[in-house]
Coordinates of all heavy atoms in Angstrom, one line a residue:
G1 N 1.9 8.5 -7.8 CA 0.7 7.8 -8.3 C 0.0 7.1 -7.2 O -1.3 7.2 -7.2
W2 N 0.7 6.3 -6.4 CA 0.0 5.6 -5.3 C -0.7 6.6 -4.4 O -1.8 6.4 -3.9 CB 0.9 4.7 -4.6 CG 1.1 3.4 -5.3 CD1 2.3 3.0 -5.8 CD2 0.2 2.4 -5.5 NE1 2.1 1.7 -6.4 CE2 0.8 1.3 -6.2 CE3 -1.2 2.2 -5.2 CZ2 0.2 0.2 -6.6 CZ3 -1.8 1.1 -5.6 CH2 -1.1 0.1 -6.3
L3 N 0.0 7.7 -4.0 CA -0.6 8.7 -3.1 C -1.8 9.4 -3.7 O -2.8 9.6 -3.0 CB 0.5 9.7 -2.7 CG 1.6 9.2 -1.8 CD1 2.6 10.3 -1.5 CD2 0.9 8.9 -0.5
I4 N -1.7 9.7 -5.0 CA -2.9 10.4 -5.6 C -4.0 9.4 -5.6 O -5.2 9.8 -5.4 CB -2.5 10.8 -7.1 CG1 -1.6 12.0 -7.0 CG2 -3.7 11.2 -7.9 CD1 -1.0 12.4 -8.3
L5 N -3.8 8.1 -5.9 CA -4.8 7.1 -6.0 C -5.5 7.0 -4.6 O -6.7 6.9 -4.4 CB -4.3 5.8 -6.5 CG -5.4 4.7 -6.6 CD1 -6.4 5.0 -7.6 CD2 -4.7 3.4 -7.0
T6 N -4.6 6.9 -3.5 CA -5.2 6.7 -2.2 C -5.9 8.0 -1.6 O -6.7 7.9 -0.8 CB -4.1 6.3 -1.2 OG1 -3.0 7.2 -1.2 CG2 -3.6 4.9 -1.5
I7 N -5.5 9.2 -2.2 CA -6.2 10.4 -1.7 C -7.5 10.6 -2.5 O -8.5 11.0 -1.9 CB -5.2 11.6 -1.8 CG1 -4.1 11.4 -0.8 CG2 -5.9 12.9 -1.6 CD1 -3.0 12.4 -0.9
L8 N -7.4 10.4 -3.8 CA -8.6 10.7 -4.6 C -9.7 9.6 -4.4 O -10.9 9.9 -4.4 CB -8.3 10.9 -6.1 CG -7.4 12.1 -6.4 CD1 -7.1 12.2 -7.9 CD2 -8.1 13.4 -5.9
L9 N -9.2 8.3 -4.4 CA -10.2 7.2 -4.3 C -9.7 6.4 -3.1 O -9.0 5.3 -3.3 CB -10.2 6.4 -5.5 CG -10.7 7.1 -6.8 CD1 -10.4 6.2 -8.0 CD2 -12.1 7.5 -6.7
P10 N -9.9 6.8 -1.9 CA -9.2 6.2 -0.7 C -9.5 4.7 -0.6 O -8.6 3.9 -0.4 CB -9.7 6.9 0.5 CG -10.6 7.9 0.0 CD -10.7 7.9 -1.5
F11 N -10.8 4.3 -0.6 CA -11.1 2.9 -0.4 C -10.5 2.0 -1.5 O -9.8 1.0 -1.3 CB -12.6 2.7 -0.4 CG -13.2 3.2 0.9 CD1 -14.0 4.3 0.9 CD2 -13.0 2.6 2.1 CE1 -14.5 4.8 2.1 CE2 -13.5 3.0 3.3 CZ -14.3 4.2 3.3
L12 N -10.7 2.4 -2.8 CA -10.2 1.6 -3.9 C -8.7 1.7 -3.9 O -8.0 0.6 -4.1 CB -10.7 2.2 -5.2 CG -10.3 1.5 -6.5 CD1 -10.8 0.1 -6.5 CD2 -10.7 2.3 -7.7
G13 N -8.1 2.8 -3.7 CA -6.6 2.9 -3.7 C -5.9 2.1 -2.6 O -5.0 1.4 -2.9
V14 N -6.5 2.1 -1.4 CA -5.9 1.3 -0.4 C -6.1 -0.2 -0.6 O -5.1 -1.0 -0.5 CB -6.5 1.7 1.0 CG1 -6.1 0.6 2.1 CG2 -6.0 3.0 1.4
F15 N -7.2 -0.6 -1.1 CA -7.5 -2.0 -1.3 C -6.6 -2.5 -2.5 O -6.1 -3.6 -2.4 CB -8.9 -2.3 -1.6 CG -9.8 -2.1 -0.3 CD1 -11.0 -1.4 -0.3 CD2 -9.3 -2.7 0.9 CE1 -11.7 -1.3 0.8 CE2 -10.1 -2.5 2.0 CZ -11.3 -1.8 2.0
V16 N -6.5 -1.7 -3.5 CA -5.6 -2.1 -4.7 C -4.2 -2.2 -4.2 O -3.4 -3.1 -4.6 CB -5.8 -1.1 -5.9 CG1 -4.7 -1.4 -6.9 CG2 -7.2 -1.3 -6.5
Y17 N -3.7 -1.2 -3.4 CA -2.3 -1.3 -2.9 C -2.1 -2.5 -2.1 O -1.0 -3.2 -2.2 CB -2.0 0.0 -2.1 CG -0.6 0.1 -1.7 CD1 0.3 0.7 -2.5 CD2 -0.1 -0.4 -0.5 CE1 1.7 0.7 -2.2 CE2 1.2 -0.3 -0.1 CZ 2.1 0.3 -0.9 OH 3.4 0.3 -0.6
V18 N -3.0 -2.8 -1.2 CA -2.8 -4.0 -0.4 C -2.8 -5.3 -1.2 O -2.0 -6.2 -1.0 CB -3.9 -4.1 0.7 CG1 -3.9 -5.4 1.4 CG2 -3.7 -3.0 1.7
L19 N -3.7 -5.3 -2.3 CA -3.7 -6.5 -3.1 C -2.4 -6.6 -4.0 O -1.8 -7.7 -4.1 CB -4.9 -6.5 -4.1 CG -6.2 -6.8 -3.4 CD1 -7.3 -6.5 -4.4 CD2 -6.3 -8.2 -2.9
V20 N -1.9 -5.5 -4.5 CA -0.7 -5.5 -5.4 C 0.6 -5.6 -4.6 O 1.5 -6.4 -4.9 CB -0.7 -4.3 -6.3 CG1 0.5 -4.2 -7.1 CG2 -1.9 -4.3 -7.2
R21 N 0.7 -4.8 -3.5 CA 2.0 -4.7 -2.8 C 1.9 -5.1 -1.4 O 2.9 -5.0 -0.6 CB 2.5 -3.3 -2.9 CG 2.7 -2.8 -4.4 CD 3.3 -1.5 -4.5 NE 4.4 -1.3 -3.7 CZ 5.7 -1.6 -4.0 NH1 5.9 -2.2 -5.1 NH2 6.7 -1.4 -3.2
G22 N 0.8 -5.7 -0.9 CA 0.6 -6.1 0.5 C 1.6 -7.2 1.0 O 1.9 -7.2 2.1
R23 N 2.0 -8.1 0.1 CA 2.8 -9.2 0.5 C 4.2 -8.7 1.1 O 4.7 -9.2 2.0 CB 3.0 -10.1 -0.6 CG 3.8 -11.4 -0.3 CD 3.9 -12.3 -1.5 NE 2.5 -12.7 -1.9 CZ 2.1 -13.9 -1.9 NH1 2.9 -14.9 -1.5 NH2 0.9 -14.2 -2.2
S24 N 4.7 -7.6 0.5 CA 6.0 -7.2 0.9 C 5.9 -6.1 1.9 O 7.0 -5.6 2.4 CB 6.8 -6.7 -0.3 OG 6.1 -5.7 -1.0
M25 N 4.8 -5.7 2.3 CA 4.6 -4.6 3.3 C 5.3 -5.0 4.7 O 5.9 -4.3 5.3 CB 3.2 -4.2 3.6 CG 2.6 -3.3 2.5 SD 0.8 -2.9 2.8 CE 0.9 -1.9 4.3
G26 N 5.0 -6.3 5.1 CA 5.6 -6.8 6.3 C 7.1 -6.8 6.3 O 7.7 -6.5 7.3
A27 N 7.7 -7.2 5.1 CA 9.1 -7.3 5.0 C 9.7 -5.9 5.2 O 10.8 -5.7 5.8 CB 9.5 -8.0 3.7
R28 N 9.1 -4.9 4.5 CA 9.6 -3.6 4.6 C 9.5 -3.0 6.1 O 10.4 -2.4 6.6 CB 8.9 -2.6 3.7 CG 9.3 -2.8 2.3 CD 8.7 -1.7 1.4 NE 7.3 -1.9 1.2 CZ 6.8 -2.7 0.3 NH1 7.5 -3.4 -0.5 NH2 5.4 -2.7 0.2
E29 N 8.4 -3.4 6.7 CA 8.2 -3.0 8.1 C 9.3 -3.6 9.0 O 9.9 -2.9 9.9 CB 6.8 -3.4 8.6 CG 6.5 -3.0 10.0 CD 6.3 -1.5 10.2 OE1 6.0 -0.8 9.2 OE2 6.4 -1.1 11.4
R30 N 9.6 -4.9 8.8 CA 10.6 -5.6 9.6 C 12.0 -4.9 9.4 O 12.8 -4.7 10.3 CB 10.7 -7.0 9.3 CG 9.6 -7.9 10.0 CD 9.9 -9.4 9.9 NE 9.8 -9.8 8.5 CZ 8.7 -10.1 7.8 NH1 7.6 -9.9 8.4 NH2 8.8 -10.5 6.6
R31 N 12.3 -4.6 8.1 CA 13.6 -4.0 7.8 C 13.7 -2.6 8.5 O 14.7 -2.3 9.0 CB 13.8 -3.9 6.3 CG 14.2 -5.1 5.6 CD 14.8 -4.9 4.2 NE 13.9 -4.1 3.4 CZ 13.0 -4.6 2.5 NH1 12.9 -5.9 2.4 NH2 12.3 -3.8 1.8
H32 N 12.6 -1.9 8.4 CA 12.6 -0.6 9.1 C 12.8 -0.7 10.6 O 13.6 0.1 11.2 CB 11.3 0.1 8.8 CG 11.1 1.4 9.4 ND1 11.8 2.5 9.0 CD2 10.3 1.8 10.4 CE1 11.4 3.6 9.8 NE2 10.5 3.1 10.7
L33 N 12.1 -1.6 11.2 CA 12.3 -1.8 12.7 C 13.7 -2.3 13.0 O 14.3 -1.9 14.0 CB 11.2 -2.8 13.2 CG 9.8 -2.3 13.2 CD1 8.8 -3.4 13.6 CD2 9.6 -1.0 14.0

């Protein structure tokens, strides 16, 4: 769903993703590193 949203409506999809799940993006990046 997130991929379809970001591909079909890229600006809206990315901005909504960052607003909804952006807080935990950094934590996932740290765990990955």
Side-chain angles (χ1 to χ4, degrees):
W2 280 114
L3 286 175
I4 289 171
L5 183 63
T6 57
I7 290 171
L8 293 181
L9 301 169
F11 289 108
L12 181 66
V14 167
F15 291 134
V16 169
Y17 187 85
V18 169
L19 287 174
V20 173
R21 302 184 47 83
R23 183 177 299 242
S24 57
M25 281 178 71
R28 283 189 292 276
E29 180 73 19
R30 279 190 299 280
R31 281 196 309 265
H32 176 70
L33 291 176

